[in-house]
Amino acid sequence: MKSINVVRRCERPRVGPRLLLAAMLLLLAGCALPDLKPFAESTARIHAAVMKTEVDLPALLREAGKADDAARLETHLAVRTQAMNGVLRYTESLAHIAQAGQSGAASAGKVGDSLNGLLGVLKAAPLSSEALSTVTLAYGYIAQVRAAGAFAKAVEQADPVVQTIAGILDKDFKALEELVPQVRPTVQRRVMERSADIVELKDYREQLEKLRRQLEKQLAQSPGNAALVKQAQDLGMLIDQTRDRYEPLLAEQREIAVRARTLTLLMSKTRQAVTEWALVHGNLASDVKAGTRPNVTVLLSLAAQIQGLTDAGATR
């Protein structure tokens, strides 16, 4: 009787195959990580916009005769591009970790490594003393991120650093966005100054256009006036004589204006995208914990607009 009791105490309850399968599926569902590829793809488009401004903005400064300023800006933009490289690598690493289904301590270490690399780039940048101090203090979060023990917790610990970086980039884009409208008039003026008589030609053509508008109003009131018709014909011939030189000049002025507006809008949209990127990252930890896909609708829309602007700039 005693031996029987021992056997009974050691017996395990039998688990049916259906119950075992359900338990396994439940376990897998709880460990599933959301798809972060759209988050990484959007970041890649933001990165492409930064690469575009790195080339176009110094070129605009050189056209304005500000070669020294262009050289200094190139140095600054190169560092900013490196910073965005770090942001892109960090975001891609999150997507790779999620795709691999890694949610434990090893994933936290990888998040910490990516964040450390990003801070290293920023620390080498010619930042203001205030921004540099902020970046230096952010290094204190690295150990917490690496020791988080889980992917979601690591992302949560990393978020204050990410928000700091987004704030630095936002100020940088704002300064660049304000620079272009200041430079554009100088570029257009230098186009006018290439020839000694170009300003006189511009003034002459504008006077002719003014006279034509006046004649058109008079003809609208007196359509059968032969004298007005003759004046309009003579004026048209004078305007035609200026076309070969004036209209290419006008087209060049318009091209500069369009290019400047496109570049300004590109930086404005990129600035908005960086802000939205930081917002998505701020919600990422809770998304990972819930196993839900991050809401990147606004970010994808901004990324598409940025792509359209970079494509438009590439065709000119």
Side-chain angles (χ1 to χ4, degrees), residues 90 94 108 111-112 115 119 138 141-142 144-146 148 151-165 281 285:
Y90 169 75
L94 297 184
V111 174
L115 202 61
L119 287 174
Y141 286 87
I142 300 298
Q144 297 177 36
V145 173
R146 286 175 172 156
F151 181 50
K153 187 66 175 177
V155 172
E156 185 177 15
Q157 294 284 356
D159 191 60
V161 180
V162 168
Q163 300 305 322
T164 296
I165 293 168
H281 190 280

Side-chain angles (χ1 to χ4, degrees), residues 189-234:
R189 186 175 66 250
R190 284 175 64 86
V191 171
M192 299 297 298
E193 293 171 350
R194 284 194 307 227
S195 175
D197 64 340
I198 200 74
V199 176
E200 293 180 4
L201 174 63
K202 179 177 178 292
D203 291 341
Y204 177 59
R205 175 62 182 261
E206 288 176 351
Q207 289 174 12
L208 292 177
E209 294 288 355
K210 183 178 179 180
L211 287 172
R212 181 165 65 176
R213 288 192 295 271
Q214 291 174 352
L215 277 172
E216 287 173 349
K217 289 180 181 179
Q218 293 174 7
L219 280 169
Q221 296 172 355
S222 305
N225 190 313
L228 289 177
V229 171
K230 180 67 168 61
Q231 287 181 45
Q233 291 173 344
D234 293 342

